[in-house]
Amino acid sequence: MAAPLKAVDGNADLQALMSDLATRARAAARVLALAPPEQKNRALEAMERAIRSNAAAILAANAEDVAEARASGNATSSFIDRLTLTPARVEGMAEGIGIVRGIADPVGIITESWQRPNGMTIERVRVPLGVVGVIFESRPNVAADAGVLCLKSGNAVILRGGSDSFRSCRAIHECLGQGLREAGLPEAAITLVPTRDRAAVGMMLSGLNGAIDVIVPRGGKSLVARVEQEARVPVFAHLEGVNHVYVDASADLAMAKAIVLNAKMRRTGVCGAAETLLVDRAAAGNNLKPLVEMLIEAGCEVRGDDAVQKTDARVKPASEDDWDTEYLDAIIAAKVVDGVDGAIAHIQNHGSHHTDAIVSADEAAAKRFLSEVDSAIVLHNASTQFADGGEFGFGAEIGIATGRFHARGPVGAEQLTSFKYRVHGTGQTRP
C-alpha cells in the first residue's frame, strides 16, 4: 500500500501533492466501482466502530478548532454552532454510518429493462460517478457523511474541509481510513486534502487534469458562487437556504407556532432553517401577533413589513434585502401576504429553491403550494428543519442540491450514481 500523504504548509509542493492525490483517487475509484456490497459494508461497519472508539480524540481535536475560532474574534454564534461537535453529534455520525450500511447498494441496480422488436434486450443500470470532489466549510461532520455515501455508491472522494475545522476533519478521516484498511479497500477511496492552503480549492475546481468528475460545494453563498464561476467540471449546486414558512388562514395556530418555532430556532445555522415567515392576511388578526411574540420571546429578532411592525414595537423594519437573506442566525423576516397566491409569488421572487413549507388545514391550498412552489423540498404541516438526508432515511447527505439537473434535494448514495445501458443480443446486425 502506498505511503499516506503528508500535510504541507506552503505552495511549493502543492501542485505535486494534488496531482499525486488525484492519481490515487482515480485508481481507487476503479477498485470501488467493482467492489462487492459486502466489502463496502465491512468498511462501513469498521468506520462506525472507529468513530465510537475514537470519540474522545475527535472531540479533543474539535475543541482545539473551536478554541481557535473563538480566539479569532470573528466567529458568529451560528458559525460556532456549525463547527462544534458534541458527544451526541459524534454518536449521530456513527449512527448515520450504520444507516448508510443498511440501505440497499445502488450500484448495479437495473432501473429499467425492455426488449426491442429485433430481440435485443436493453437494460439501464446504475453505475458510480467516479471521483467526487467535496469542498465544505465549517461543519466537520460533512467529512464523515460525504465519505461514507461516496463509498456506498462506489465513488472515490476528495474532501477539502474548511481551515476552521482542519483538526476535526483529520480526526474523523483517520477513522474512515481505518475502516477502509480493515476491509482491504484503498485508503485513497476517501482522501482528505492535507493542507489549509486555499490554492487547493482552485486546483480541485480545475478538475485536477480530468481526475474529478463532479464537485459538490457545502458552504456559504461566497463559496458556492466561486465554485459555480470557476469549476471546470459539473457541479451539484447547493445554493443558500432562503427558506419560507407560510401560515395559511386555515392553519391551526398551535401547530403553526410549533412548526415556525422549530423551523427557525431549533438550529439557526443549518441550511434548512426558516428565514422568512409569511402569514395569510385573511387570518393575520388572529395569527400574526402570537407568532411574532413567540419568536421574539424565544430570542429571535423579527424584521417585518408595516403590518408586522404594528403587532409589536420590538419588530424592526424589514428592508428589501431582508427578503433575500439567509441569516443563519436568530433573525427572521416576516410579511403578511394575500393568501396562497401571495405566498407563492413571494417565494418565486425571493426564494432559493431550497426548502419551503405551508401550514394549512385546507388540502386544496396545500396541494397548490406543493405543486407550484419550485423548490427542491416542499412540506405541508412540517418544519423546514426536516431538510436533511438523515431525516429522509438516506443515513446522511452530501448536500441539498438546488439545481435541476441529475440530483435534486438531499443527495444520498443513490443520487451519487449515474447509469449506463447494457444491451444483450443474439447476433443482431443493423440493416
Side-chain angles (χ1 to χ4, degrees):
M1 185 175 293
L5 293 168
K6 296 181 179 179
V8 297
D9 296 316
N11 289 322
D13 298 320
L14 185 58
Q15 188 69 54
L17 170 74
M18 296 299 288
S19 178
D20 184 31
L21 178 154
T23 299
R24 295 179 185 218
R26 201 76 213 169
R30 290 193 289 271
V31 175
L32 285 186
L34 302 175
E38 297 78 16
Q39 187 179 21
K40 291 186 286 185
N41 284 340
R42 285 200 303 274
L44 291 169
E45 184 177 14
M47 290 174 186
E48 183 181 355
R49 288 198 312 270
I51 291 287
R52 288 196 171 100
S53 61
N54 291 282
I58 294 170
L59 291 169
N62 182 250
E64 292 185 44
D65 284 337
V66 172
E68 185 175 84
R70 291 187 188 278
S72 72
N74 300 319
T76 64
S77 59
S78 58
F79 178 90
I80 293 297
D81 177 65
R82 293 194 297 275
L83 176 62
T84 300
L85 293 175
T86 64
R89 290 179 183 179
V90 173
E91 175 59 25
M93 276 194 285
E95 290 178 354
I97 295 172
I99 294 172
V100 170
R101 179 166 51 89
I103 65 177
D105 193 305
V107 180
I109 296 295
I110 298 172
T111 60
E112 293 180 70
S113 178
W114 63 96
Q115 191 170 55
R116 297 293 296 148
N118 64 5
M120 289 193 312
T121 299
I122 302 176
E123 301 170 336
R124 191 163 99 159
V125 60
R126 292 194 179 278
V127 296
L129 297 173
V131 178
V132 180
V134 182
I135 302 170
F136 58 102
E137 292 182 326
S138 56
R139 294 180 63 183
N141 62 292
V142 173
D145 291 351
V148 301
L149 285 171
C150 285
L151 173 63
K152 184 74 175 187
S153 54
N155 297 289
V157 61
I158 299 173
L159 303 167
R160 202 290 181 178
S163 58
D164 300 287
S165 60
F166 188 67
R167 300 176 187 88
S168 307
C169 290
R170 281 197 304 189
I172 293 167
H173 179 253
E174 286 174 9
C175 299
L176 305 183
Q178 181 177 327
L180 291 167
R181 290 191 297 272
E182 288 190 26
L185 290 169
E187 288 185 62
I190 303 175
T191 297
L192 179 69
V193 176
T195 175
R196 299 189 188 203
D197 195 323
R198 293 181 182 273
V201 174
M203 294 178 188
M204 289 180 66
L205 296 180
S206 73
L208 292 174
N209 296 317
I212 295 179
D213 295 287
V214 64
I215 290 283
V216 181
R218 283 289 304 270
K221 190 173 184 178
S222 60
L223 170 64
V224 175
R226 179 187 176 187
V227 170
E228 293 194 321
Q229 181 178 6
E230 297 183 21
R232 296 294 179 265
V233 293
V235 175
F236 281 178
H238 177 107
L239 297 182
E240 59 194 331
V242 183
N243 307 322
H244 302 75
V245 177
Y246 165 59
V247 179
D248 187 54
S250 66
D252 175 81
L253 180 57
M255 179 190 291
K257 290 174 69 174
I259 288 173
V260 170
L261 184 64
N262 183 267
K264 177 69 254 185
M265 298 299 289
R266 172 188 166 271
R267 287 189 70 185
T268 60
V270 298
C271 65
E275 305 292 14
T276 300
L277 169 65
L278 303 174
V279 178
D280 191 345
R281 192 180 308 277
N286 182 63
N287 294 341
L288 185 57
K289 186 177 179 64
L291 289 167
V292 170
E293 288 181 344
M294 173 197 67
L295 286 165
I296 293 174
E297 289 166 7
C300 183
E301 177 183 315
V302 178
R303 301 177 184 178
D305 65 2
D306 290 342
V308 177
Q309 291 174 58
K310 290 176 183 177
T311 65
D312 195 299
R314 296 170 291 179
V315 175
K316 298 181 178 180
S319 68
E320 280 303 310
D321 289 340
D322 282 312
W323 309 124
D324 303 302
T325 298
E326 182 185 32
Y327 300 109
L328 296 174
D329 205 346
I331 305 170
I332 195 168
K335 183 178 185 180
V336 173
V337 295
D338 292 317
V340 70
D341 286 330
I344 292 170
H346 180 94
I347 294 169
Q348 186 173 16
N349 291 332
H350 300 283
S352 60
H353 307 288
H354 193 294
T355 302
D356 297 291
I358 179 174
V359 185
S360 177
D362 183 339
E363 290 296 331
K367 184 176 181 180
R368 277 201 58 205
F369 186 95
L370 297 180
S371 175
E372 296 182 29
V373 171
D374 183 26
S375 295
I377 303 170
V378 285
L379 306 102
H380 176 207
N381 290 344
S383 169
T384 58
Q385 299 249 350
F386 284 107
D388 179 89
E391 295 297 328
F392 275 50
F394 297 170
E397 68 180 28
I398 204 169
I400 304 287
T402 54
R404 292 179 175 82
F405 293 105
H406 189 68
R408 198 175 193 206
V411 179
E414 182 179 308
Q415 290 74 30
L416 289 170
T417 60
S418 181
F419 59 85
K420 68 179 180 183
Y421 292 99
R422 295 192 304 217
V423 181
H424 302 276
T426 55
Q428 288 89 342
T429 58
R430 185 171 178 177

